[in-house]
Amino acid sequence: MGWADGGAIQFQGDAGSFHVTVFTMPPILSAGSLDVTVLIQDRSKLNPLLDAHVLLDLSAQTASSLKKEAWTPPACAMNMPSSLADIPAKLNHGENRLLYGAAVQVPFSGIWKLKINIQRDAETESVSTLLKVTPPPSPPLAYWQLFALPPLSVLGFILNRTAKGRSSGVAGVQELQNRSGS
């Protein structure tokens, strides 16, 4: 597995006249939200192709023995897709304008087959790869940064006030010494 602009490289190969590279973010896949991006290139010259129609199909091959389902906040659970087939991968999905991409909700851990369907002009090709999806982290571990901000803000406020109190106390002592010394 390598690293690139779109995340970790999960697959690289040829299909007809296309050279296909699949990236995922996060690099270590766990049940829940994944960002899948695809680079489609002309196989002979390796020029990026920006006029293709790309669809993603995701299907469970095996569920892990735990088959741990992903936890999503209630507001996000309302946006769960009804199907993991024919997910459109849009060009300019992320920062890299050469990649087709889509956000995908993987409902549980296990081995998943990702099929990339590519259509350009009259040519239609597809490639597949297997993705190992680990169990999701527990909610407190997945969202720890949200829970850490309030206590850190309070601690910063207390430290700031303590430092200001000491500096004003030192200035007050120096002022009293100057008055008594004159």
Side-chain angles (χ1 to χ4, degrees):
M1 184 184 317
W3 291 89
D5 274 351
I9 297 173
Q10 297 290 343
F11 172 81
Q12 196 167 33
D14 296 324
S17 65
F18 305 122
H19 182 73
V20 181
T21 307
V22 177
F23 306 93
T24 60
M25 196 62 160
I28 297 173
L29 307 177
S30 60
S33 184
L34 304 177
D35 189 45
V36 179
T37 53
V38 181
L39 174 63
I40 310 291
Q41 296 170 286
D42 176 80
R43 186 174 174 184
S44 61
K45 298 177 186 162
L46 294 181
N47 294 331
L49 301 175
L50 306 177
D51 60 347
H53 181 67
V54 180
L55 296 173
L56 307 175
D57 289 334
L58 202 60
S59 57
Q61 299 301 292
T62 61
S64 69
S65 57
L66 300 174
K67 192 180 177 182
K68 215 170 165 190
E69 291 189 14
W71 181 88
T72 54
C76 296
M78 294 178 358
N79 298 328
M80 293 294 279
S82 57
S83 171
L84 293 174
D86 295 329
I87 301 168
K90 302 289 184 189
L91 191 60
N92 302 328
H93 169 74
E95 291 180 23
N96 190 325
R97 302 294 180 212
L98 303 176
L99 301 178
Y100 296 85
V104 178
Q105 283 290 116
V106 178
F108 54 85
S109 58
I111 304 296
W112 288 80
K113 180 180 178 182
L114 174 65
K115 183 178 177 185
I116 299 96
N117 301 304
I118 307 158
Q119 181 181 4
R120 182 174 187 250
D121 299 329
E123 186 175 4
T124 301
E125 296 291 340
S126 65
V127 292
S128 298
T129 187
L130 295 177
L131 302 174
K132 182 181 179 189
V133 178
T134 62
S138 66
L141 291 177
Y143 298 100
W144 68 267
Q145 65 275 19
L146 299 176
F147 299 119
L149 186 60
L152 288 176
S153 300
V154 171
L155 180 63
F157 178 79
I158 292 169
L159 291 174
N160 181 309
R161 287 293 163 196
T162 305
K164 281 188 177 182
R166 285 187 183 159
S167 66
S168 66
V170 169
V173 169
Q174 287 177 348
E175 186 178 316
L176 285 174
Q177 287 175 350
N178 289 341
R179 285 186 190 169
S180 65
S182 2

